[in-house]
Amino acid sequence: STQSTGRVEDVSMQRTTVDWREKWASTKPDSDKHQVRARGYSNASSDGSIALDTLYGAIQSGSAPGSPVMFPTDHGSTEMVSTEPEWSIVHELSTILLFALPLGLGVMSRSVLYNIDAIYLGHLGVAELAGASLALNITEALGELFYSCCFTLTALVGQAVGVGNPAQAGNWTMLCLMIVMSISGLNSVYFYYGTHYTVEHLSPEPDVVTMATEFNRVYWLGTVFLALNLVLRQYANGLSESTGPMIGAMTTIGLNLCFNQWLIYGIDGWFHGLGFIGSAWATTCALGSQLVIFCAYSFGYKQIHREKRAWAGFDWSAFRADRIMTFIALAFPATIGAMTEKMGVMSLSFLSPRLGNKATDCMMILFNLQVLSSSAFLGCGVALQVRVANHIGKGDIHAAKMTIFLTTAIMLVCGAVSYTHLTLPTKRIV
């Protein structure tokens, strides 16, 4: 009797599988051959699509009704079930710290690059450091036009992974890459041709205007490397991969020291050096090297995109109008807020030339020290984005709230340490 019942259940499951294949194949949109529209399934992404192979596999294995990936619910409910353990402060704290530590070291290493440049430029002269400072401030201010797009990508990738549809992360990444590189391209044209006219209104010193113009006519290429690096880094961060960006940033510190020494002062018997403009080339080469090392480790060696199944290849459906509008709706308010905050800070640097070149140099050194000291809680901020997106993707709102409270406490501690670092030994460091 038991064997007979088992055979009946096998036949029933096979028929169910065929029925589901026919049903979902008939409703599959022509614009996206890898995705189908799902209503009432818990692994639907933000635009309601799920992986067809995942659906078939769940039905064939008989795990659909209780699967943590997806299951049908009554009346189109989007309620989710997860097999992960309940939220615990010890587990969440260890997860955040282990993820945030490489992120913080990466942010610290990237800020060290600019501190190295400041050291070499300071030895060249006051006007050289002031000109490079204003040039970098202009690139940083306009860079905020796409920085927030990249941080929006982190949340979307993390949510796609959490909801059980990691392939959707690749679509969001392609869309973000298109938007960011378009903005970066327009910025690069302005850096090359417009820096001279901008700095003329900021500084009365002709030497500073010349230095800033020369710097950005080389460094525009570095901003393109920086934009591409930022998109891929936030994509990797959304996949909980922070080791590759850290290795790329930390390795580049030594390379930047060598590049500055060789390109500014030259190599005895081989190369006479480029002087001031060599610093711009050194920073550009360092950013390009950082991108290559990071991608070689994370996507070449570890192949994190394949491990997480977060890349299904190029797909035109990534650029659908509804996805573009969803992305812009998330990124635009964040961009406005970031631009407002950045311009409030940068206004001090833009006004400092009126007080003389030494004031401009001092502002650059202090802001570099500020970024360096705040790298710890900047890493925690990205870790918070990823973890909250994962929890929301799984439908665990309580875990998301508790993670926010926990990370806020960590940031308060890091902020107190940063404040102490900036107020006590700053004079000695400068």
Side-chain angles (χ1 to χ4, degrees), residues 4 28 33 52 81 91 106 128 147 186 191 196-197 208 227 236 277 318 327 334 343 351 369 390-391 395-396:
S4 176
K28 184 171 61 175
K33 61 183 179 182
L52 186 59
V81 172
H91 172 73
E128 285 81 355
Y147 289 165
L186 295 175
F191 297 151
H196 176 81
Y197 303 103
V208 174
I277 203 64
F327 191 90
M343 292 307 298
L351 293 173
L369 290 175
N390 289 160
H391 291 314
D396 195 343

Side-chain angles (χ1 to χ4, degrees), residues 56-304:
Y56 291 160
I59 296 172
Q60 288 174 331
S61 64
S63 62
S67 172
V69 177
M70 68 95 195
F71 66 99
T73 56
D74 295 334
H75 309 294
S77 170
T78 57
E79 180 184 359
M80 300 182 186
V81 172
S82 176
T83 58
E84 286 197 354
E86 292 185 1
W87 190 92
S88 71
I89 188 170
V90 175
H91 172 73
E92 194 69 26
L93 179 62
S94 62
T95 302
I96 289 175
L97 292 180
L98 289 175
F99 184 39
L101 181 60
L103 286 172
L105 290 175
V107 174
M108 184 182 299
S109 300
R110 283 185 288 273
S111 65
V112 168
L113 295 182
Y114 296 104
N115 281 279
I116 292 173
D117 295 337
I119 292 171
Y120 275 92
L121 289 168
H123 283 83
L124 291 177
V126 175
E128 285 81 355
L129 181 57
S133 174
L134 290 175
L136 289 171
N137 285 336
I138 292 172
T139 60
E140 280 291 310
L142 291 181
E144 288 293 342
L145 291 173
F146 61 80
Y147 289 165
S148 295
C149 293
C150 297
F151 291 117
T152 301
L153 174 65
T154 307
L156 290 172
V157 170
Q159 190 173 8
V161 172
V163 84
N165 188 14
Q168 190 73 345
N171 289 335
W172 288 122
T173 302
M174 284 186 282
L175 176 59
C176 181
L177 186 62
M178 180 200 71
I179 294 174
V180 168
M181 296 312 295
S182 298
I183 298 173
S184 177
L186 295 175
N187 284 352
S188 298
V189 174
Y190 175 76
F191 297 151
Y192 192 92
Y193 294 104
T195 299
H196 176 81
Y197 303 103
T198 303
V199 178
E200 268 187 335
H201 292 85
L202 298 176
S203 175
E205 300 288 339
D207 290 344
V208 174
V209 176
T210 301
M211 295 296 177
T213 303
E214 291 181 357
F215 192 93
N216 269 358
R217 286 191 173 178
V218 173
Y219 184 65
W220 70 266
L221 181 59
T223 63
V224 175
F225 292 147
L226 183 65
L228 183 57
N229 189 0
L230 188 56
V231 174
L232 296 179
R233 187 172 76 238
Q234 298 308 116
Y235 169 58
N237 289 341
L239 300 177
S240 299
E241 160 60 14
S242 57
T243 307
M246 178 195 68
I247 292 175
M250 295 187 71
T251 305
T252 312
I253 294 176
L255 292 176
N256 196 35
L257 282 168
C258 296
F259 289 151
N260 271 284
Q261 184 66 33
W262 296 338
L263 294 176
I264 293 176
Y265 298 107
I267 304 173
D268 292 339
W270 293 85
F271 180 60
H272 296 294
L274 301 175
F276 166 76
I277 203 64
S279 177
W281 278 113
T283 306
T284 300
C285 291
L287 292 173
S289 301
Q290 182 182 128
L291 174 63
V292 171
I293 295 170
F294 149 54
C295 290
Y297 182 85
S298 294
F299 303 121
Y301 173 68
K302 289 186 68 174
Q303 295 197 347
I304 189 67

Side-chain angles (χ1 to χ4, degrees), residues 23-36:
K23 177 180 179 180
W24 288 103
S26 64
T27 58
K28 184 171 61 175
D30 296 333
S31 61
D32 190 349
K33 61 183 179 182
H34 299 293
Q35 307 290 334
V36 295

